C-alpha cells in the first residue's frame, strides 16, 4: 500500500499518515471535496490532506 504524505502542523513538516481514510468534505453548495484524514506517524496528531478534484 502506498504511503500517504501530508503536512503535519505539529511537526511543521511533511510526515507519513497512518490510518488514512478517504472522506468527503462539504464545500460550497453541493460541491464535495475529497480529502484524506489520518494520524501523523510521528506525533499522532490528526492530519488532513485535500485530494485534487478530478475535474480541472
Ligand atoms: Zn506530526
Amino acid at each position: 500500500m502506498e504511503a500517504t504524505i501530508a503536512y503535519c502542523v505539529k511537526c511543521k513538516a511533511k510526515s507519513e499518515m497512518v490510518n488514512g481514510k478517504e472522506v468527503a468534505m462539504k464545500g460550497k453548495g453541493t460541491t464535495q471535496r475529497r480529502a484524506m484524514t489520518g494520524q501523523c506517524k510521528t506525533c499522532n496528531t490528526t492530519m488532513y490532506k485535500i485530494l485534487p478534484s478530478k475535474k480541472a
Side-chain angles (χ1 to χ4, degrees), residues 15-46:
S15 184
E16 194 172 324
M17 182 190 284
V18 293
N19 300 323
K21 64 177 180 181
E22 194 175 319
V23 294
M25 298 175 75
K26 281 190 179 176
K28 287 182 181 176
T30 56
T31 309
Q32 282 211 322
R33 287 176 159 253
R34 294 187 311 127
M36 289 282 291
T37 182
Q39 278 91 45
C40 173
K41 193 177 182 182
T42 307
C43 70
N44 264 0
T45 295
T46 301

Side-chain angles (χ1 to χ4, degrees), residues 5-16:
I5 305 298
Y7 184 80
C8 175
V9 293
K10 194 168 178 182
C11 297
K12 294 181 178 168
K14 286 185 177 176
S15 184
E16 194 172 324

